[in-house]
Amino acid sequence: MNMKSTICIGTRGSTLALWQANHVKNSIEKNFPDTRIDIKIIKTTGDRITDRPLAMVGGKGLFVKEIEAALLDGSIDLAVHSMKDMPGELPQGLMIGAIPERANPFDVLISAQGAFFKDYPRGAVIGTSSLRRASQLKHLRPDIEIKSIRGNLDTRLKKVKSGEYAAIVLAAAGLERLGQGSEITEYLAETDMVPAVGQGALCIETRENDPDMAEILSTLDHDPTRICVTGERAFLKAIEGSCHIPVACFGKILDNRVMLTAVVASEDGESLIKETIESTPEQVAEKGRELAKLVLEKGGQRILEALNIP
Ligand SMILES: NCc1[nH]cc(CCC(=O)O)c1CC(=O)O
């Protein structure tokens, strides 16, 4: 086959996004040593807004829209995103070409003094702008205070070290990819904090009907990750939880059975609906939709209707 000689990967310009794009570039080069790969940085709406929590901005795909436009107009061939930034639905003409093996999917706490969550003093200030994280933490510890935080990883680490926050919450995957895993005080298991849909996974997005890319991408896909993420995203799409609302869904495989767990919670953590559904790998999309229906019926609908976000 006469493979295209140069491929252009589009990505955001953050340190993490560039690490991820280079990671995918290296994997492709390993399998296709004659292919030249360029990386093109594309600024997204999410990158421009640095002064307010993204939940206040609303809208789907704040970190992906401009990159998808570049895919559609042919200026790039592949896009590398964090899966958890992807809205439930993709634009016409684009598809998820590959889902590589997932990194650690869990959330972690970094505390200034090395204290554990259960030992934080009353009123301890925890930094996160994620409604999903805030609501689940408040559910576990109604006595703590949540304060919004933005900025890149270094900024956030400084803010916890300076004492502005007792602790901050981040995704293990991002920290570990950037070589900052040693900063982690504590991992939160999914029994305490259900991860975001797609957390820890990458999304390689491409145009439909691009046989060169399809051949390349088939070498990068990781079946167990695709199965779990497919279930999580089916849940997301069914619940219309585009991005910044307090919903979570996480799939794991145990003995060829997929366990999908989802949460919908109120911002203050007082109401929290958590359900688990079991599926075969083949049924996972259908079961993800069924899980959404279950969570909505059990009170999720009422919680989402009461939310005050656009
Ligand atoms: N919220 C932004 C974001 N999008 C993807 C990651 C990295 C982890 C991942 O790939 O899931 C992060 C950082 C974080 O949540 O701490």
Side-chain angles (χ1 to χ4, degrees), residues 239-259:
I239 212 150
E240 304 253 272
S242 49
C243 37
H244 303 291
I245 66 170
V247 300
C249 184
F250 174 65
K252 64 178 181 188
I253 300 182
L254 287 173
D255 297 329
N256 208 36
R257 302 292 293 176
V258 189
M259 306 302 294

Side-chain angles (χ1 to χ4, degrees), residues 108-111 153 157 160-161 175 179-186:
V108 302
L109 284 161
I110 298 177
S111 72
L153 180 58
L157 289 174
V160 65
K161 285 180 181 159
L175 281 160
Q180 302 271 21
S182 61
E183 300 286 348
I184 295 169
T185 310
E186 172 177 17

Side-chain angles (χ1 to χ4, degrees), residues 16 20 82-85 133 169-171 173-174 177 198-201:
L16 178 62
Q20 293 177 166
S82 293
M83 184 62 84
K84 82 167 172 182
D85 294 336
R133 289 169 175 155
V169 198
L170 291 164
R177 284 176 181 141
Q199 184 157 300

Side-chain angles (χ1 to χ4, degrees), residues 78-271:
L78 300 176
V80 178
H81 311 277
S82 293
M83 184 62 84
K84 82 167 172 182
D85 294 336
M86 299 300 288
E89 265 179 289
L90 270 55
Q92 186 98 49
L94 300 183
M95 60 183 269
I96 295 179
I99 309 179
E101 185 169 5
R102 187 177 225 171
N104 188 315
F106 299 110
D107 293 290
V108 302
L109 284 161
I110 298 177
S111 72
Q113 316 288 339
F116 292 121
F117 186 65
K118 64 173 180 39
D119 300 322
Y120 295 172
R122 283 183 72 85
V125 175
I126 315 300
T128 179
S129 299
S130 148
L131 296 173
R132 175 186 64 84
R133 289 169 175 155
S135 59
Q136 292 187 82
L137 289 177
K138 286 287 276 185
H139 184 73
L140 292 168
R141 288 277 314 258
D143 61 312
I144 58 163
E145 201 181 307
I146 302 290
K147 192 170 136 191
S148 166
I149 185 169
R150 292 253 2 235
N152 66 27
L153 180 58
D154 287 339
T155 310
R156 293 187 196 207
L157 289 174
K158 276 194 198 117
K159 286 180 178 176
V160 65
K161 285 180 181 159
S162 74
E164 191 179 337
Y165 297 88
I168 55 175
V169 198
L170 291 164
L175 281 160
E176 287 171 357
R177 284 176 181 141
L178 296 179
Q180 302 271 21
S182 61
E183 300 286 348
I184 295 169
T185 310
E186 172 177 17
Y187 288 81
L188 294 165
E190 83 264 30
T191 42
D192 288 335
M193 167 88 75
V194 178
V197 167
Q199 184 157 300
L202 299 181
C203 171
I204 310 182
E205 194 178 16
T206 185
R207 286 179 290 277
E208 283 172 355
N209 309 316
D210 188 338
D212 283 359
M213 291 311 117
E215 184 182 343
I216 288 178
L217 294 177
S218 65
T219 66
L220 301 181
D221 207 53
H222 184 251
D223 204 44
T225 302
R226 181 180 275 276
I227 290 165
C228 292
V229 169
T230 298
E232 295 165 17
R233 286 180 54 73
F235 167 86
L236 177 70
K237 196 173 153 188
I239 212 150
E240 304 253 272
S242 49
C243 37
H244 303 291
I245 66 170
V247 300
C249 184
F250 174 65
K252 64 178 181 188
I253 300 182
L254 287 173
D255 297 329
N256 208 36
R257 302 292 293 176
V258 189
M259 306 302 294
L260 276 177
T261 298
V263 161
V264 171
S266 63
E267 226 180 312
D268 60 10
E270 248 174 65
S271 327

